[in-house]
Amino acid sequence: MKDYGVFDILGPVMIGPSSSHTAGAARIGKISSEIAKGFFHKVTFNLHGSFAKTYKGHGTDRALVAGVLGMEPSDERIKDSLNIAKEKGILIEFIETDLGYVHPNTVKVDFHYKDRDDFYVIGSSIGGGNIIITNINGNEVEFSGDYPTILLKYKDQKGSISKISSIISNEDINIATMKVSREGDIATMVMEIDSPIEDKIIDNISSLNEIIYITGINPITR
Amino acid sequence: MFNKATELLNLCKEQNKKISEIVMEKEMKHSKISYEELIDKMNDILNTMVSSANSALDKEVISVSKISGGNAKKMETYKNKGNTISGNLINSAMARALSTSEVNAAMGRIVAAPTAGASGILPSALLTTRERFNLSNEDMIHGLFTAAGIGEIIAKNATISGAEGGCQAECGAASAMAAAAIVELVGGSVETSLHAASFAIINILGLVCDPIAGLVEFPCALRNASGVANALISADLAMAGIESMIPFDEVVEAMYKVGKAMPESLRETALGGVAATPTGEEFKKKNL
Ligand code: SF4
């Protein structure tokens, strides 16, 4: 039996019309841009399944764009996000596509940059505003963004994991979950921790010389 | 802790407390927050509800898809003419439920209660009861906790999602939550709240989920209007002393089983019910 709290039943406070097609889409957009980082000048949303079929009527398009612009699911500017992106000079493109055997509400978000290579994030909206991120630039991952999450890519060396985790525990922070996968000698780590992520921790970990990429994502309040 | 209505009832009896009090205590323990924080959080929820339930009454709010909107205002205007069939209270309640539904479809801010599709029912039910009995803000907040407690029981033991259990799960849950809260607000007992919640679900047991073109607009807004009426009359039935022959926990289980037995075409896929009528299909073609 899944546990429910009062604010799982009354909430989220959100912009309509659909928790999965609007609120969840905004969360995917927001988390994707926090992962991709930097100044993108164009974003392409590759919409799959029900997202592809009903994105206009559900405002999924506006919610995704609002998300990549940093808005939260309860932000009343979501409705105008397409115009806001235009004012900021960010090009937006929607493509209806088939991403294969994935959840029906899935989107692949491609970020395009002038000064570096494209970067993509794939996420699914799995109901009630809940999401999972399943792929980051070709690295398969799985996390919900409900907890403070640290994403890492590093050159795997002896003791890397223990170095990283001791930095975390030195700050008196508890690691809730940790998943590591490896391709060649490059490892991807997704770590969920129990307290909000502070810049200090990200800075400390990134000072390790094996680190290729790191970002910390704090959950969107609900 | 409680998972079932029988457990909730026992806790209320042992401690001589209302549903709202037990739910608040449980929530403070569950999410480790203080009483003040809890009330603050619920107050935010209430404020969003009040605004969504009123903002489409005096201006036309049209949906993003442009296939619906403006009906809350029509309803309010009709009610104000004073010549309604079912009376001022029911008409006003329906107008407010339509208002939240329309705000939702127009990408305005709402509270999922328990879902976005059924978000019009609970705010309207509480505001209508407040107006009728001159209740306070604090009463409203208590009512919301009672409603949440009932919603938790349904979510834990069955489902509150139209895609899983049909509209009986979504609007059914919202009406049951509202009915139980209304009863507590007017001074009814815990048992009476549970009878009212049972009636609200039984009254629409089997209701399918068939949104036209897959959009949360038609028949969703209508079902929010009938859902709040259902909550109000269920509360009255129970306050009159009528008892549900089937206890609430069993009603919830029955609802879950009916939902499981529903074909997928009647569970938010827009492949059955009014969505699959020739006119429904026509809307779909034009809007997708
Ligand atoms: S018909 Fe379906 S989408 Fe519409 S309110 Fe009912 S459960 Fe929600």
Side-chain angles (χ1 to χ4, degrees), chain B residues 58-71:
Chain B
D58 54 6
K59 59 172 187 288
E60 275 195 6
V61 174
I62 305 296
S63 70
V64 175
S65 69
K66 300 197 172 64
I67 69 170
S68 70
N71 290 338

Side-chain angles (χ1 to χ4, degrees), chain B residues 117 162 167 170-171 209-211 220 223:
Chain B
C167 201
E170 240 180 80
C171 287
C209 170
D210 50 354
C220 310
R223 288 186 183 148

Side-chain angles (χ1 to χ4, degrees), chain B residues 3-209:
Chain B
N3 292 321
K4 301 246 173 196
T6 43
E7 293 162 8
L8 176 63
L9 180 62
N10 284 339
L11 287 172
C12 291
K13 281 199 166 152
E14 279 163 22
Q15 307 180 24
N16 193 20
K17 285 185 173 145
K18 295 177 181 169
I19 296 178
S20 55
E21 291 169 316
I22 297 288
V23 174
M24 284 159 80
E25 280 166 18
K26 187 224 69 175
E27 188 62 26
M28 281 189 277
K29 259 189 236 147
H30 172 95
S31 46
K32 302 183 190 76
I33 58 175
S34 70
Y35 178 79
E36 286 72 30
E37 286 172 299
L38 186 66
I39 298 294
D40 270 3
K41 251 180 126 171
M42 198 55 105
N43 200 37
D44 284 350
I45 299 263
L46 177 62
N47 288 338
T48 306
M49 286 181 164
V50 170
S51 117
S52 70
N54 287 306
S55 62
L57 295 182
D58 54 6
K59 59 172 187 288
E60 275 195 6
V61 174
I62 305 296
S63 70
V64 175
S65 69
K66 300 197 172 64
I67 69 170
S68 70
N71 290 338
K73 187 173 177 237
K74 265 186 211 152
M75 196 79 233
E76 180 73 3
T77 313
Y78 169 72
K79 176 210 85 182
N80 285 339
K81 286 197 190 127
N83 205 16
T84 66
I85 299 152
S86 56
N88 209 53
L89 182 123
I90 293 278
N91 278 271
S92 168
M94 291 197 290
R96 287 199 182 108
L98 290 172
S99 172
T100 297
S101 291
E102 288 176 1
V103 167
N104 181 51
M107 296 192 85
R109 191 188 281 140
I110 55 102
V111 182
T115 61
S119 61
I121 295 172
L122 182 61
S124 171
L126 291 181
L127 294 176
T128 304
T129 312
R130 161 151 88 185
E131 210 168 78
R132 170 79 178 79
F133 294 97
N134 278 321
L135 302 176
S136 67
N137 234 31
E138 205 187 328
D139 294 328
M140 293 292 96
I141 288 175
H142 285 164
L144 287 171
F145 280 106
T146 304
I150 298 299
E152 276 179 48
I153 292 170
I154 301 171
K156 281 182 188 168
N157 296 287
T159 173
I160 51 170
S161 129
E164 238 184 300
C167 201
Q168 56 156 13
E170 240 180 80
C171 287
S175 302
M177 289 158 62
I182 298 170
V183 167
E184 183 175 310
L185 289 176
V186 302
S189 69
V190 175
E191 284 96 337
T192 311
S193 275
L194 293 176
H195 288 310
S198 297
F199 294 153
I201 292 180
I202 291 169
N203 288 348
I204 60 160
L205 198 65
L207 186 63
V208 303
C209 170

Side-chain angles (χ1 to χ4, degrees), chain A residues 1-7 9-17 22 53-54 56-59 62 74 76 78-79, chain B residues 23 27 30 41-42 45 64 104 106-112 114 116 122 144 151-152 155-157 177 214-215 288:
Chain A
M1 192 181 288
K2 192 175 170 247
D3 201 17
Y4 284 87
V6 161
F7 300 104
I9 302 295
L10 298 183
V13 174
M14 55 169 270
I15 300 299
T22 321
K53 282 190 221 122
T54 65
K56 277 197 187 127
H58 278 125
R62 305 185 208 200
S74 62
E76 278 181 314
I78 288 180
K79 214 176 158 172
Chain B
V23 174
E27 188 62 26
H30 172 95
K41 251 180 126 171
M42 198 55 105
I45 299 263
V64 175
N104 181 51
M107 296 192 85
R109 191 188 281 140
I110 55 102
V111 182
L122 182 61
L144 287 171
E152 276 179 48
K156 281 182 188 168
N157 296 287
M177 289 158 62
L215 303 173
L288 294 186

